[in-house]
Amino acid sequence: QVQLVESGGGLVQAGGSLRRSCAASTSILSINPMGWYRQVPGKQRELVAVISGGGTNYGDSVKGRFTISTENAKNAVYLQMNSLKPEDTAVYYCYALVFKDYWGQGTQVTVSS
């Protein structure tokens, strides 16, 4: 069983920045892929950014604005979100695949115009 504990997020004005953190209960070296998804009411959960096999993959809508990174010593993955737009408003979830899917508790990110 893998636990993912998220922090960060909240309310920010358009054009601002936020940083999300996710700490895993196991070494992230054993997690592949690991990253972030988001969901708005009435829509499917969508890819934001993942690290897989040493490479990164971003959703088209966040490319150039969001950056995913990891810190092995803290078993953590981060999501730096810059130039935020109102359409980035969603619940953001940390994700990890370790034989099966694991999800963090999710945190609301709201971008006001």
Side-chain angles (χ1 to χ4, degrees):
Q1 196 79 358
V2 176
Q3 293 182 333
L4 302 172
V5 178
E6 301 175 23
S7 60
L11 175 65
V12 66
Q13 287 189 330
S17 298
L18 284 174
R19 188 186 193 221
R20 301 289 332 277
S21 300
C22 174
S25 60
T26 188
S27 170
I28 62 172
L29 296 176
S30 65
I31 301 175
N32 187 32
M34 187 174 188
W36 299 91
Y37 283 74
R38 68 187 182 187
Q39 189 170 23
V40 298
K43 292 189 176 181
Q44 286 188 325
R45 199 166 290 188
E46 67 171 357
L47 169 71
V48 177
V50 291
I51 289 179
S52 176
T56 57
N57 188 27
Y58 292 92
D60 288 341
S61 63
V62 306
K63 286 179 181 177
R65 300 188 296 122
F66 291 13
T67 303
I68 188 171
S69 61
T70 59
E71 186 173 359
N72 294 343
K74 295 186 177 181
N75 293 326
V77 61
Y78 305 101
L79 183 68
Q80 178 66 41
M81 303 183 287
N82 297 330
S83 301
L84 282 159
K85 304 176 181 180
E87 50 264 43
D88 294 317
T89 295
V91 177
Y92 284 70
Y93 296 90
C94 182
Y95 167 78
L97 176 62
V98 186
F99 302 112
K100 69 175 186 178
D101 295 337
Y102 291 93
W103 297 94
Q105 76 272 20
T107 303
Q108 178 71 41
V109 171
T110 301
V111 184
S112 63
S113 57

